[in-house]
Amino acid sequence: YHVGGENYEIGRFYAAPYQCYQTMMHELRGFVIDGRYKQLDMSNAHPRMIASKLHGECKGVIQNYVDNRDSILAEVQLACECDKRVAKELFLRIMYGGTPRKWCNDHSLKSPPDFVYRFADAITGIGAQLESENDALFEKCKKIAKHKRAALKRQFGDEWRSTALALYLQHRESEAIEETIDILAKRGVTVVGIIHDSVIVPASCNVDVELINDAVCEKFNMEFKFKYE
């Protein structure tokens, strides 16, 4: 596995040059690992990380999504007449710089509830906040984002900020995964694979999820919540 791509060394873990569980279709992967392995998975990873960094009203908006994701997705499904997969895609798009309007147009759907637009505004706020705080990792991501957008001839205003935020979240995710692997190794647990924000371990292993949550949160001063299933 290596971090990031395009020689930037910033971003999430990717398997290279081999194929593995990470690159399998979801249904096939579930069939292969069923009963043999379990996943230690970050629950609602990026929104949870963002909520732990934000302040004020914006924090409340993102935290509400973290705490009530299922009911919010159900509300979007009902209002927009779409399935859960498409509703989840809406929030993922927003976190990576997309807009509710573009999502609606791409899927020919009705406008989502007002909460979705408040969520989008809050996501815009986190990039500006990290920049104002001179966060060292965000500064690295900012330079890479501007370089990537310039190379693609897509350097418009401050649109680089959404690319920088995506890189920032993905890199913090990879750091948390690396720390988790180290914690597991010290307790004799062998990780057999990585799937972005989760690790695969033998089903027979005893994993102390609370210990991992506390250690990773303390090290990176962000909230992470792993689940083991």
Side-chain angles (χ1 to χ4, degrees), residues 163-180:
T163 303
L165 178 59
L167 290 169
Y168 177 89
L169 293 171
Q170 290 171 0
H171 194 74
R172 280 285 181 246
E173 169 196 294
S174 69
E175 290 178 323
I177 288 294
E178 190 169 23
E179 178 70 10
T180 300

Side-chain angles (χ1 to χ4, degrees), residues 33-81:
I33 72 174
D34 186 38
R36 301 174 60 204
Y37 303 109
K38 288 186 177 181
Q39 283 186 241
L40 183 61
D41 178 52
M42 291 183 193
S43 176
N44 217 353
H46 291 180
R48 192 179 299 276
M49 292 160 65
I50 290 172
S52 68
K53 296 293 288 185
L54 278 168
H55 311 301
E57 183 179 349
C58 288
K59 177 182 178 68
V61 172
I62 304 299
Q63 191 64 53
N64 182 40
Y65 176 76
V66 171
D67 295 339
N68 303 288
R69 181 172 67 163
D70 287 343
S71 61
I72 288 171
L73 291 176
E75 185 179 345
V76 171
Q77 288 176 250
L78 182 63
C80 302
E81 299 178 359

Side-chain angles (χ1 to χ4, degrees), residues 1-226:
Y1 294 88
H2 66 99
V3 173
E6 304 172 67
N7 300 316
Y8 290 120
E9 297 184 353
I10 289 285
R12 64 186 357 161
F13 275 116
Y14 290 97
Y18 308 106
Q19 300 298 305
C20 66
Y21 295 115
Q22 186 188 64
T23 54
M24 285 183 182
M25 292 177 58
H26 183 269
E27 295 80 5
L28 177 59
R29 182 169 65 234
F31 174 77
V32 171
I33 72 174
D34 186 38
R36 301 174 60 204
Y37 303 109
K38 288 186 177 181
Q39 283 186 241
L40 183 61
D41 178 52
M42 291 183 193
S43 176
N44 217 353
H46 291 180
R48 192 179 299 276
M49 292 160 65
I50 290 172
S52 68
K53 296 293 288 185
L54 278 168
H55 311 301
E57 183 179 349
C58 288
K59 177 182 178 68
V61 172
I62 304 299
Q63 191 64 53
N64 182 40
Y65 176 76
V66 171
D67 295 339
N68 303 288
R69 181 172 67 163
D70 287 343
S71 61
I72 288 171
L73 291 176
E75 185 179 345
V76 171
Q77 288 176 250
L78 182 63
C80 302
E81 299 178 359
C82 65
D83 62 27
K84 188 174 183 179
R85 178 188 62 79
V86 175
K88 287 175 70 174
E89 179 197 312
L90 167 61
F91 291 95
L92 288 171
R93 280 198 185 195
I94 291 171
M95 282 188 288
Y96 289 141
T99 65
R101 176 177 294 181
K102 182 71 164 58
W103 174 83
C104 290
N105 291 341
D106 288 348
H107 293 287
S108 301
L109 297 172
K110 300 176 182 177
S111 183
D114 289 344
F115 169 82
V116 172
Y117 295 93
R118 295 198 300 275
F119 182 92
D121 289 342
I123 293 297
T124 301
I126 182 63
Q129 179 185 306
L130 289 170
E131 187 178 16
S132 69
E133 293 173 351
N134 296 314
D135 184 287
L137 175 58
F138 189 77
E139 287 301 311
K140 288 182 181 179
C141 295
K142 173 180 169 181
K143 291 177 182 177
I144 294 169
K146 288 187 173 182
H147 181 268
K148 291 178 74 170
R149 283 190 168 270
L152 294 171
K153 297 182 179 179
R154 293 171 61 187
Q155 187 82 335
F156 305 114
D158 63 354
E159 288 186 6
W160 58 265
R161 191 172 277 126
S162 60
T163 303
L165 178 59
L167 290 169
Y168 177 89
L169 293 171
Q170 290 171 0
H171 194 74
R172 280 285 181 246
E173 169 196 294
S174 69
E175 290 178 323
I177 288 294
E178 190 169 23
E179 178 70 10
T180 300
I181 293 171
D182 287 345
I183 293 170
L184 292 171
K186 290 174 182 176
R187 285 155 181 79
V189 177
T190 301
V191 170
V192 299
I194 302 172
I195 307 173
H196 300 314
D197 61 356
S198 67
V199 296
I200 302 174
V201 300
S204 58
C205 291
N206 183 23
V207 175
D208 189 336
V209 179
E210 290 305 314
L211 183 147
I212 292 171
N213 282 336
D214 291 345
V216 175
C217 290
E218 181 178 356
K219 179 161 185 175
F220 298 107
N221 193 29
M222 297 181 86
E223 186 180 353
F224 299 88
K225 185 177 180 181
F226 285 88

